[in-house]
Amino acid sequence: MANSSIAQPTSRKGLFARGRGAGRQLEWWQQLLLQVFCLVVAVSVLFPIMWIVTLSFKEAGSPRSSKLEIIPSSISLSSYQAVIDQPLSKTAGDISFWKLMGNSFFLAAGVSFFSVMIGVAAAYAFSRLNFVGRKFLFLSIGFILLMPGIATLAPLFAMLAKIRTSLEVLRIIYFVLAGLIVAGLALMTVSRIRSDDFRAGSIAVVFGGLAVAGLLLWGGLGIDIPKNAKPFDLGRSLYGVGLAMISGALPFAIWNLKGYLDTIPKELEEAAIIDGASPNQIFFRIILPLATPALAVTAFLGFMAGWTEFALTARFINKAENYTLAIALQTMTGQYTTVSWSNFAAMSIMISLPVSIVYLALQKYIVGGLTLGGVKG
Amino acid sequence: MASAESSVERASDSDLPRQSWWTRTRTSRTAYTYLFPALIVMAIITFYPIVYQFWMSLTDFGPSSINPNVANYKAPEYVGFQNYRLILQDKLATVDADLNSFRFWRTLGFNIWWTFSNVVFHVSLGIVIAVLLNVEGLWFKKIYRAIYILPMVLPQLVIATIWRNMFDAKEGAVNLFLKIFLGPAFPEAGIDWLQRVEPVAFGLPLSYFAMLIANIWLGWPFMTIVATGALQSIPKELYEAASIDGATGWNKFWTITLPLLRPAMVPATILGIIQTFNLFHVIYFISGGGPLGQTEILVTQAYKLINGNSLFGIGAAFSVFIFIILGCISAITARISRVAESYDG
């Protein structure tokens, strides 16, 4: 980009310089001004981050400093140790740090895996197949995306909290999943036999699918329900939070993936269609392999949203054993008078680090996708 | 559409026997096979709750209407549009005394102003920084780019709690910084960023400005990234031609850079508007809507109704308002983007 962009009085000088093409040198004072500007911006970006990093390296429980420190003077990991040993204060509940992390991971990974898996099939239909009601369905998904998750919190909570008969519910879910898989396999088999395309690969898929369905059935049967057990409260469990989150995560996954699939050139499929490929073959052999980075990014965005999900979790969960990292962080900010700031800082960093590193690694793909259609974060 | 397609086929090959229904609906069937799992799941947990919400909003659904198996269960009763009326007339305090600072129109007005003021800063700062960072021959570009992406990389929830900490009235980083910067002019007792009730400017409390600072920090990098992408696709020849015609750098910015940035910036801005309008984390964790509900936005208010007060019926009615308002906003923004597109030719 030739010098165009800065407004400065000597752009006439720049005119001559431009003739020499790329690798242009800036005047020293232009360079200086720009460097000062960029440094100021960089410092303002880094200021909160350095503040929290410095705090986290203080001794656990050390008193607040009345001097501004944004560069750690000494490094002590005792705050991290303290948070790992006891993330919540005694009154807030007894739960280990690893359990918190496990809960958050279970929630985030489950939601993102589930929504991407069934989202990609729907996205393929929206992107490549023409069917009755396509536009209407897609627009209603777009409308859902505009709505904040909190706007459907009341009905979701009321619905899910009603389901509290027993662990029977979980078993039903397992059975329904197995039934869905069997139904899908049957449909696939029928359509393949009709198009004379039932080969070894299909047989393998059918057997694999039946095996998974069998596993689910077995798992459902295996759920152990003790007599006089407390009723299983879907609305008060992480399963319930996960379901409520999928209500927003699935439309997001469909929308996001459809945007990516639209960018895959159609020529590849056209060649395959000429060779007689069916929509199923196109989906499994062409689209899915090409969409792997998109799947990864969408799954990661879903994961990141789930990892720090607060609003739904705080409404649904009422037992300390089901707390997540986000809830724990909130209890630490809620009691600024009693909780040590260095513990809070260490907790924030431990929550951020895993997702931030992955974000940085996937950054190139994510940024392209964000503009395609991420409204729900 | 599959049916349209097959009717065209039939018209041209009229001597062929009419295709069976099974063949004609083939594409649609394949499509719905792919859609089936997603549609089932969304029908149950996405679309049905929206319908259920309308019903809930017409009842006095309260905390004891949730679970039919407990002793004090009270079935929700139909109350007509009473919830809507209570909200519009700010009379929620008659239901729950905690809600006496509830003001529907103030919250809506603040929400719109909050969105507008934030997005203006995000977009203008984003473009300016992208343009300056794109100047040829600038040193350390890569380092700056790596630093500038950091606010996007960290989870919003963590950022919000960090800023909440930094705006602490006593040993918060912002106060400590101002103490050094202002020296003796800094008030002895410190600045109470988040609790100070009296408005400081434009009738807005200090906590609004605190959150504005935090959210500007959070929001501009996204705009910079979008703008950088668009800047790098502007052909250099345009600038060269403009220079030959004697345009100054300032002219070129207004006549080349900005118009060519628009196709990328308009969708990003719309995204920014909708995200900022619903920005739960920043408001809820930094000011919590305070002081006295002055910085409440629609989502945080809805959340408090549902979570804090367990007024599900009223919360549902409030969410219906959010649906309507967001519907209007997205209709307006869609219209603006269409106008912008047609202007671009």
Side-chain angles (χ1 to χ4, degrees):
Chain A
M1 193 76 12
N3 153 42
S4 67
S5 4
I6 26 165
Q8 13 89 347
T10 51
S11 65
R12 220 154 244 292
K13 261 191 180 166
L15 235 175
F16 295 112
R18 199 163 305 121
R20 281 177 236 134
R24 202 169 63 80
Q25 297 288 308
L26 288 172
E27 303 273 343
W28 66 268
W29 60 271
Q30 292 176 326
Q31 184 72 263
L32 189 73
L33 270 179
L34 281 173
Q35 290 294 339
V36 168
F37 176 83
C38 287
L39 266 178
V40 169
V41 175
V43 166
S44 75
V45 166
L46 285 176
F47 178 70
I49 298 171
M50 288 314 293
W51 161 256
I52 217 73
V53 169
T54 312
L55 267 185
S56 78
F57 283 140
K58 288 193 170 173
E59 288 287 336
S62 59
R64 279 164 218 171
S65 159
S66 55
K67 271 203 326 246
L68 183 67
E69 290 173 62
I70 55 169
I71 291 158
S73 48
S74 66
I75 290 182
S76 144
L77 293 178
S78 62
S79 301
Y80 291 87
Q81 192 58 47
V83 172
I84 289 174
D85 287 344
Q86 194 179 11
L88 295 181
S89 65
K90 283 249 160 48
T91 48
D94 184 26
I95 181 169
S96 77
F97 180 80
W98 304 112
K99 178 86 166 105
L100 282 175
M101 210 160 194
N103 283 346
S104 282
F105 184 84
F106 166 75
L107 199 59
V111 167
S112 85
F113 176 79
F114 188 76
S115 49
V116 165
M117 275 303 118
I118 61 177
V120 70
Y124 170 65
F126 280 122
S127 169
R128 291 302 204 268
L129 303 170
N130 230 338
F131 56 90
V132 186
R134 172 170 182 246
K135 203 168 179 192
F136 170 76
L137 278 176
F138 196 61
L139 282 182
S140 44
I141 290 176
F143 184 71
I144 297 295
L145 276 183
L146 292 176
M147 295 307 145
I150 291 162
T152 49
L153 176 57
L156 278 170
F157 182 66
M159 277 169 62
L160 293 170
K162 278 210 176 85
I163 305 175
R164 71 190 300 262
T165 45
S166 66
L167 277 172
E168 213 50 55
V169 179
L170 262 187
R171 183 177 290 177
I172 291 169
I173 291 174
Y174 276 93
F175 287 171
V176 167
L177 280 180
L180 280 178
I181 290 175
V182 170
L185 288 175
L187 263 171
M188 191 197 89
T189 316
V190 169
S191 68
R192 291 232 165 165
I193 289 176
R194 277 190 162 262
S195 57
D196 272 340
D197 185 38
F198 199 78
R199 299 203 191 102
S202 320
I203 295 173
V205 171
V206 169
F207 276 105
L210 283 177
V212 174
L215 267 180
L216 282 172
L217 281 177
W218 183 66
L221 286 173
I223 289 177
D224 180 41
I225 306 169
K227 301 272 183 230
N228 69 10
K230 271 194 196 158
F232 172 71
D233 227 337
L234 186 62
R236 294 301 194 184
S237 73
L238 286 173
Y239 289 102
V241 182
L243 278 176
M245 283 175 66
I246 285 171
S247 122
L250 180 58
F252 169 75
I254 295 176
W255 188 274
N256 212 19
L257 285 169
K258 194 243 178 202
Y260 275 111
L261 295 190
D262 282 347
T263 62
I264 296 177
K266 292 222 163 62
E267 286 76 20
L268 290 168
E269 294 160 65
E270 279 159 10
I273 291 172
I274 291 171
D275 292 342
S278 69
N280 293 334
Q281 285 173 322
I282 292 172
F283 178 64
F284 284 108
R285 298 199 189 154
I286 298 178
I287 300 284
L288 268 192
L290 285 177
T292 318
L295 292 180
V297 166
T298 313
F300 172 69
L301 288 179
F303 184 88
M304 185 142 165
W307 183 248
T308 55
E309 174 3 270
F310 172 78
L312 296 173
T313 321
R315 168 70 267 194
F316 281 62
I317 297 301
N318 58 357
K319 270 183 290 194
E321 60 181 276
N322 287 332
Y323 279 178
T324 60
L325 289 172
I327 304 277
L329 185 70
Q330 196 252 352
T331 63
M332 293 181 146
T333 56
Q335 329 160 325
Y336 266 155
T337 42
T338 53
V339 165
S340 122
W341 278 9
S342 61
N343 287 11
F344 157 75
M347 183 72 167
S348 331
I349 288 176
M350 281 193 286
I351 292 178
S352 314
L353 261 190
V355 281
S356 301
I357 289 170
V358 181
Y359 197 113
L360 279 177
L362 292 176
Q363 175 196 341
K364 225 180 249 168
Y365 304 100
I366 292 177
V367 169
L370 279 180
T371 39
L372 283 173
V375 174
K376 263 188 191 174
Chain B
M1 300 291 134
S3 56
E5 242 169 56
S6 53
S7 71
V8 172
E9 267 170 42
R10 250 181 290 136
S12 54
D13 312 314
S14 50
D15 49 330
L16 289 174
R18 191 174 182 274
Q19 285 170 312
S20 70
W21 177 84
W22 186 258
T23 328
R24 268 184 293 132
T25 56
R26 207 174 144 193
T27 347
S28 278
R29 259 187 305 115
T30 322
Y32 277 101
T33 316
Y34 279 96
L35 283 173
F36 181 70
L39 281 189
I40 290 285
V41 172
M42 287 201 323
I44 298 172
I45 58 172
T46 307
F47 294 115
Y48 176 66
I50 293 175
V51 179
Y52 191 66
Q53 169 135 293
F54 278 104
W55 175 77
M56 277 175 81
S57 73
L58 302 175
T59 65
D60 64 344
F61 209 112
S64 49
S65 315
I66 290 282
N67 181 5
N69 301 323
V70 292
N72 61 348
Y73 174 71
K74 186 181 137 319
E77 268 171 50
Y78 179 80
V79 293
F81 285 90
Q82 195 199 323
N83 292 335
Y84 294 89
R85 218 170 35 238
L86 286 176
I87 289 171
L88 286 181
Q89 295 173 347
D90 296 336
K91 286 194 178 140
L92 291 187
T94 58
V95 183
D96 189 328
D98 289 352
L99 290 166
N100 55 14
S101 64
F102 175 89
R103 302 278 180 283
F104 179 73
W105 295 106
R106 182 187 66 191
T107 303
L108 177 59
F110 177 77
N111 202 347
I112 292 171
W113 170 248
W114 160 256
T115 311
F116 175 78
S117 52
N118 274 293
V119 172
V120 165
F121 276 110
H122 291 171
V123 173
S124 48
L125 263 181
I127 291 181
V128 167
I129 293 173
V131 164
L132 292 184
L133 203 57
N134 215 33
V135 169
E136 224 171 276
L138 177 72
W139 296 337
F140 315 124
K141 250 184 214 183
K142 282 207 170 132
I143 301 175
Y144 289 131
R145 290 219 164 107
I147 293 174
Y148 291 177
I149 201 176
L150 286 175
M152 275 181 76
V153 165
L154 298 168
Q156 244 184 37
L157 171 97
V158 174
I159 291 176
T161 52
I162 290 176
W163 277 96
R164 164 76 179 75
N165 175 295
M166 300 210 340
F167 279 117
D168 188 88
K170 287 194 188 105
E171 284 96 10
V174 176
N175 274 353
L176 295 182
F177 174 77
L178 285 179
K179 206 190 249 170
I180 297 171
F181 201 71
L182 294 178
F186 187 79
E188 194 60 43
I191 301 174
D192 196 355
W193 286 91
L194 304 175
Q195 314 290 322
R196 199 189 139 105
V197 178
E198 308 83 54
V200 286
F202 315 113
L204 291 161
L206 202 52
S207 58
Y208 160 75
F209 295 95
M211 290 192 296
L212 189 66
I213 294 170
N215 198 35
I216 290 173
W217 184 89
L218 177 66
W220 68 260
F222 172 65
M223 296 296 172
T224 296
I225 283 169
V226 174
T228 305
L231 275 179
Q232 284 168 347
S233 66
I234 300 179
K236 282 185 190 173
E237 290 76 25
L238 284 179
Y239 293 105
E240 282 161 19
S243 318
I244 291 167
D245 291 343
T248 62
W250 192 242
N251 284 343
K252 282 183 280 185
F253 177 74
W254 284 102
T255 54
I256 302 175
T257 312
L258 271 192
L260 287 177
L261 279 181
R262 198 170 45 212
M265 293 315 286
V266 166
T269 308
I270 290 177
L271 188 70
I273 288 175
I274 294 190
Q275 277 183 340
T276 313
F277 194 86
N278 296 330
L279 202 65
F280 175 78
H281 285 139
V282 169
I283 304 266
Y284 190 80
F285 285 103
I286 297 182
S287 81
L292 297 180
Q294 288 182 82
T295 56
E296 206 78 74
I297 63 170
L298 293 174
V299 257
T300 54
Q301 184 65 63
Y303 189 65
K304 283 185 181 166
L305 289 176
I306 298 164
N307 192 18
N309 307 81
S310 286
L311 297 169
F312 299 101
I314 291 167
F318 198 85
S319 305
V320 171
F321 279 121
I322 296 184
F323 269 65
I324 296 169
I325 291 161
L326 272 172
C328 293
I329 289 178
S330 56
I332 295 168
T333 50
R335 179 138 191 97
I336 291 172
S337 74
R338 216 173 305 137
V339 169
E341 259 169 41
S342 62
Y343 185 80
D344 291 329

